Amino acid sequence: FYPPAWHREKIFFFAWPYDKSLWQANLRPVQEEFAEVLKALIDERVVVLFPNEDELSKCKIDFSNQKLTKEIISYGDIWLRD
């Protein structure tokens, strides 16, 4: 269940940056910063999207926190929705 923007429940959705053609030399630093942002949201409900299993396996994020979940779903890297 992915609630609409006006839904009162607070869940953050993040999409793993993966497209080398968009990020170029910045991809690795962006992925590292992405992980740091998730650490700062440790007490929040967060869903992290990955485009495929290969990208999920590259991620070094600890998903043992029950508030942090992952989903594999196809998306264009850079923009999901507002």
Side-chain angles (χ1 to χ4, degrees), residues 14-52:
F14 286 87
W16 176 251
Y18 68 93
D19 190 334
K20 287 183 182 181
S21 69
L22 294 172
W23 296 101
Q24 299 177 7
N26 296 313
L27 181 59
R28 190 71 201 136
V30 166
Q31 289 173 336
E32 291 169 0
E33 190 65 26
F34 184 96
E36 292 300 315
V37 169
L38 293 182
K39 286 179 189 175
L41 295 171
I42 192 72
D43 293 326
E44 304 293 340
R45 290 186 62 201
V46 178
V47 176
V48 183
L49 306 178
F50 293 89
N52 53 52

